[in-house]
Amino acid sequence: MHRRKKQEEPIAIKIEKKSSSISELSIYNLPSVWTTQHNTEIELKELKGNVLVMVMIYTSCKAACPRLVADMRSIEAKIPEAKKKNVKLILVSIDPETDTPKRLKQFSIENDMNSDSWIFLRGSKEDTREFAAVLAVNYKKISPMDFSHSNIISVFDQKGVLAHQQEGLGINNKETVSKIIELAH
């Protein structure tokens, strides 16, 4: 009988550890602190429990970013109202020098992205670069006001683990929307 008890204990410990820890792949492990369009500081782990739809842009972009913004709005429009409360649409600036909280707030209003579902983030150059690497987004400053960058929309589950990516501009987002609806409870 003593022998059987020893065998059961490690199983209980493993189950307990597994349910309380964050996956090594979770973005909630990143220590970065971001500033929102409302000029408040936030850590990504504060978004835990939501499905996150993320894209990296810069507000002075005249080429790809307006299309990425339109793609994000299209995705948001296709999410059923009952699921929207568990979804956050996040735009992360790759140009923190220009994209101040005031500029991000103005941009959110201009683009009708000012409900609680939309979060605009800016961070330090280092945190932005680290986050871009996590998303597999490449970007490079090519002139004082322009960047060359990847066009990727990423979907993270409630635990901050990457669940889906959509690459390209103006592409069919049916698969992305389906993944968001599947994940949102």
Side-chain angles (χ1 to χ4, degrees), residues 2 9 22 28 37 41 55 67 69 90 93 98 124 133 148 153 156-157 172:
H2 184 69
E9 281 179 339
I22 293 175
Y28 300 140
Q37 74 269 34
E41 288 191 342
V55 67
R67 186 66 243 176
V69 167
I90 302 171
S93 174
T98 304
S124 69
S148 170
I153 294 174
F156 290 85
D157 68 16
N172 184 331

Side-chain angles (χ1 to χ4, degrees), residues 55-69 91-100 103-104 107 111 120-122 128 137-151:
V55 67
M56 295 189 82
I57 64 154
Y58 63 108
T59 62
S60 59
C61 179
K62 303 290 184 237
C65 296
R67 186 66 243 176
L68 285 169
V69 167
L91 291 88
V92 181
S93 174
I94 59 174
D95 185 10
E97 287 178 29
T98 304
D99 290 337
T100 62
R103 174 67 193 126
L104 293 174
F107 187 85
N111 288 280
F120 288 76
L121 300 177
R122 77 183 279 270
T128 303
V137 169
N138 296 310
Y139 68 93
K140 179 180 174 184
K141 195 167 195 165
I142 55 173
S143 76
M145 291 300 290
D146 280 323
F147 290 81
S148 170
H149 60 89
S150 306
N151 302 307

Side-chain angles (χ1 to χ4, degrees), residues 7-23:
Q7 287 177 342
E8 290 174 10
E9 281 179 339
I11 294 169
I13 292 169
K14 278 185 184 174
I15 292 169
E16 188 177 9
K17 276 186 176 179
K18 191 174 182 181
S19 65
S20 64
S21 66
I22 293 175
S23 165

Side-chain angles (χ1 to χ4, degrees), residues 22-23 25-29 47-50 52 134 155-163:
I22 293 175
S23 165
L25 302 173
S26 176
I27 59 171
Y28 300 140
N29 291 316
L47 301 171
K48 189 176 178 185
N50 293 292
L52 309 179
V134 169
V155 178
F156 290 85
D157 68 16
Q158 290 88 340
K159 294 180 180 178
V161 176
L162 184 64

